[in-house]
Amino acid sequence: MTDYGQDLQFGTFLTPDASRPDQVVELGLLTEAAGLDLATVQDHPYQARFLDSWALIGTIAARTSTLRLTTNVTNLPLRPPFVLAKTVASLDLLSRGRIELGIGAGAFWDAVVAAGGPRRTPKEAVAALAEGIEIIRATWDAARRSVRVYGTHYRVVGAHPGPAPAHAMEIWVGAIGPKMLALTGRSADGWLPSQAYVPPDQLAEKNARIDEAALAAGRDPGQIRRLYNVNPSTDPAWAEQLAELALVHGASTFIVAGDDAQVIQRFGSEIAPAVRDLVTAERTGGSRDPDRLDSETHATATDPSATGADGDAELSAEPPRSRSEAGPDVPRGRRLGDGPRPTPDDGVRRSDRRPWDDATRPTYAPSSAPLTWTAHERASGQHLIDVHDHLRTELRQLFDLIDQVAAGAVDAGRARSLINAMTMRQNDWTLGAYCQSYCRLVTTHHSLEDASLFPHLRSADVALSPVIDRLEAEHHVIAGVLDEVDRALVAVVSGPDGLPELRRAVDLLSDTMTSHLSYEEHELVEPLARFGFS
């Protein structure tokens, strides 16, 4: 069993389609909202129908807060390494340490030459990449007096280094052939192949070449991350297949290719948590044969009656209590036991407006026995709470900004100019940009639920229909409240009396979101564990 000591991470591989720029950015936002770690973007500068990859990455970085980003992979022949190093380091500083560098030696040489780049033989391409990596690392080393690399393909003679990235940025090399694999072992922080070019049955041989080159260079092979671009799959055992790649071949970062929103949502909400649980169970247990991984774990992940790998005991099957008997945090008809705990609604309201009557909300009472909460089921329910926690955190930060403006901590004139520029910065949030980002995140989250999650749950158990009808109706109400926030933003820009209007709109947004998110968690955490996300 190969273990390179890297934490598991999951991401997306997006197409920078210039014909639908807004949708591409939305997929980046969805990557974060789905709980994934990383978004990557193709880089083909000669392709007329593609956006510039690094410009797209900068845009997505400005609209997200935790998502890491990189190219998959950068076309070095059309991006001089010294300038590339400054671009990537600058984006890392602006995103507070969320950029990595995926890089390749180049391909499609006719297109490269047509765009003004060089034509290189395979041997020349590898040599040029080695020189490029040397220049990039030297440029990031702000402690150096100058960058001096006298290469055959790249020469930097006395340029001043800097800026340094915000974090220890990794260089991930897209490599297939023996010489590129050896370069990866000598110089890179990660190996980034694609399943389409390097199928699973070739991973062992190619990993061995990387390890051999690393050892020859005096490096620890365990410090080289093993990433893998994987094809989407509808196979029920997809999570088990990825877990096996992690356990047997040391793959630690799985990146799903394609631009399907439902695939991204499933990859984040279902597949990634399941893979983590399976790998953790195998590594901590240490007694099972990886060859039996599929048959042993698939039943646990899909059968609600199966006992979890960590020995969860079955919940009591006593009759359900009424809402008043169960207390305010436990919906009628079920007990949460050791499952995820929905966030309670504290009942505090900032606005005197009531867009709906909480007392008229229906509740869901499952007809089947209480769950034996397996690790997989807990992860499915917890994911919804995690997404909602992010929304709640963003909302709290919005209130903090409004307080800063009201107290004069942020100059009104400067705030308005930043609104127009749609810029977001720590401790100097702009009202317009921040609200627009938050509203877009809420809208994306609700759109996914309306289009994919809700129909699935409705078909899984007809008893959920009244709850889902109510949640959908509340989504429409919240959409109207978001429109009020947008109108209030215009008032803030237009004159000094706009801030009270914005505060009232955001107060109402807070009330509706706090109440709605809590209700949704109470009603859907257990159904999500029972039926999954799709």
Side-chain angles (χ1 to χ4, degrees):
M1 187 181 298
T2 304
D3 183 1
Y4 291 100
Q6 303 282 357
D7 294 335
L8 286 176
Q9 298 179 8
F10 299 84
T12 55
F13 189 0
L14 307 178
T15 305
D17 189 346
S19 68
R20 52 186 193 98
D22 291 342
Q23 291 92 327
V24 177
V25 174
E26 293 289 350
L27 291 175
L29 301 182
L30 171 59
T31 299
E32 181 176 71
L36 295 168
D37 308 286
L38 174 71
T40 72
V41 180
Q42 297 182 39
D43 184 45
H44 298 283
Y46 40 75
Q47 177 56 262
R49 62 184 181 87
F50 282 0
L51 298 163
D52 178 78
S53 298
W54 285 109
L56 175 59
I57 285 173
T59 301
I60 296 174
R63 300 275 299 278
T64 54
S65 57
T66 62
L67 189 68
R68 295 164 62 218
L69 299 119
T70 190
T71 46
N72 195 346
V73 290
T74 292
N75 185 288
L76 181 64
L78 288 174
R79 298 189 183 276
F82 180 79
V83 177
L84 175 63
K86 292 182 71 71
T87 297
V88 177
S90 299
L91 285 171
D92 196 52
L93 289 165
L94 292 168
S95 67
R96 304 176 195 90
R98 293 189 285 124
I99 307 296
E100 309 296 348
L101 176 56
I103 195 168
F108 306 104
W109 294 105
D110 288 345
V112 169
V113 171
R119 185 184 299 276
R120 290 172 178 153
T121 66
K123 181 178 180 180
E124 291 170 340
V126 174
L129 178 58
E131 294 171 6
I133 291 175
E134 182 181 0
I135 291 170
I136 290 167
R137 292 200 187 280
T139 306
W140 289 345
D141 185 0
R144 299 171 65 112
R145 296 186 59 183
S146 63
V147 179
R148 296 182 181 275
V149 176
Y150 300 91
T152 301
H153 305 279
Y154 296 112
R155 294 170 62 87
V156 179
V157 185
H160 295 297
H167 80 297
M169 190 183 298
E170 297 183 3
I171 297 177
W172 302 335
V173 171
I176 299 177
K179 290 184 172 57
M180 283 288 289
L181 294 168
L183 172 62
T184 301
R186 292 192 304 269
S187 304
D189 303 296
W191 177 42
L192 180 52
S194 294
Q195 183 179 356
Y197 299 103
V198 182
D201 61 5
Q202 296 182 14
L203 288 174
E205 182 267 333
K206 295 185 183 299
N207 270 324
R209 289 182 181 273
I210 294 172
D211 294 352
E212 181 181 357
L215 290 170
R219 303 183 68 206
D220 178 4
Q223 299 303 308
I224 301 174
R225 182 180 298 278
R226 313 302 160 112
L227 306 96
Y228 203 31
N229 294 321
V230 298
N231 302 323
S233 175
T234 58
D235 192 325
W238 190 19
E240 286 84 347
Q241 293 162 3
L242 298 184
E244 185 171 3
L245 294 176
L247 292 166
V248 177
H249 298 292
S252 63
T253 302
F254 295 102
I255 302 169
V256 65
D259 306 296
D260 188 319
Q262 292 189 7
V263 170
I264 294 172
Q265 178 72 6
R266 178 178 176 234
F267 198 61
S269 64
E270 178 183 340
I271 301 302
V275 174
R276 287 192 173 100
D277 287 345
L278 292 168
V279 171
T280 298
E282 190 72 19
R283 286 175 174 168
T284 55
S287 60
R288 287 188 289 169
D289 184 346
D291 292 337
R292 303 206 318 266
L293 182 66
D294 184 284
S295 61
E296 290 184 2
T297 58
H298 183 58
T300 301
T302 58
D303 182 4
S305 65
T307 300
D310 52 359
D312 292 336
E314 216 174 280
L315 299 178
S316 168
E318 69 181 49
R321 299 177 294 172
S322 69
R323 182 179 293 273
S324 59
E325 292 171 332
D329 295 344
V330 182
R332 183 178 70 245
R334 62 194 183 278
R335 298 180 63 192
L336 297 176
D338 61 350
R341 302 296 300 180
T343 305
D345 179 359
D346 59 12
V348 174
R349 297 294 182 262
R350 297 170 176 266
S351 174
D352 57 4
R353 295 171 57 189
R354 298 291 180 265
W356 59 61
D357 183 358
D358 291 359
T360 62
R361 284 168 164 164
T363 59
Y364 169 65
S367 57
S368 51
L371 285 176
T372 303
W373 289 89
T374 66
H376 178 73
E377 290 162 348
R378 279 196 298 270
S380 296
Q382 184 63 44
H383 178 71
L384 181 69
I385 298 173
D386 292 343
V387 172
H388 286 181
D389 283 346
H390 177 70
L391 295 175
R392 282 183 279 256
T393 298
E394 298 282 88
L395 194 58
R396 286 194 295 271
Q397 291 175 333
L398 178 55
F399 277 110
D400 180 64
L401 170 64
I402 294 174
D403 289 341
Q404 290 183 50
V405 175
V410 176
D411 178 77
R414 175 166 173 74
R416 290 172 188 167
S417 67
L418 292 173
I419 291 170
N420 293 331
M422 299 295 285
T423 305
M424 296 170 59
R425 287 203 290 269
Q426 187 72 24
N427 299 323
D428 194 17
W429 299 101
T430 72
L431 293 175
Y434 192 86
C435 289
Q436 293 284 359
S437 175
Y438 179 74
C439 296
R440 183 65 64 89
L441 178 59
V442 172
T443 302
T444 299
H445 175 60
H446 284 178
S447 296
L448 283 168
E449 290 181 337
D450 292 341
S452 176
L453 174 62
F454 286 171
H456 164 67
L457 292 178
R458 197 190 303 273
S459 65
D461 188 346
V462 68
L464 275 166
S465 292
V467 169
I468 293 172
D469 289 343
R470 177 59 182 252
L471 290 171
E472 289 176 335
E474 292 187 7
H475 284 181
H476 288 295
V477 173
I478 292 172
V481 176
L482 291 173
D483 287 341
E484 291 188 31
V485 174
D486 287 336
R487 289 193 292 271
L489 288 171
V490 175
V492 170
V493 176
S494 302
D497 298 329
L499 188 61
E501 181 180 344
L502 177 62
R503 189 185 295 276
R504 288 191 294 271
V506 175
D507 281 347
L508 182 59
L509 177 63
S510 175
D511 290 352
T512 54
M513 289 298 295
T514 299
S515 174
H516 174 80
L517 296 178
S518 178
Y519 171 57
E520 185 170 271
E521 290 172 20
H522 278 302
E523 299 304 323
L524 295 190
V525 161
E526 188 178 71
L528 286 173
R530 289 183 182 276
F531 307 122
F533 279 81
S534 61

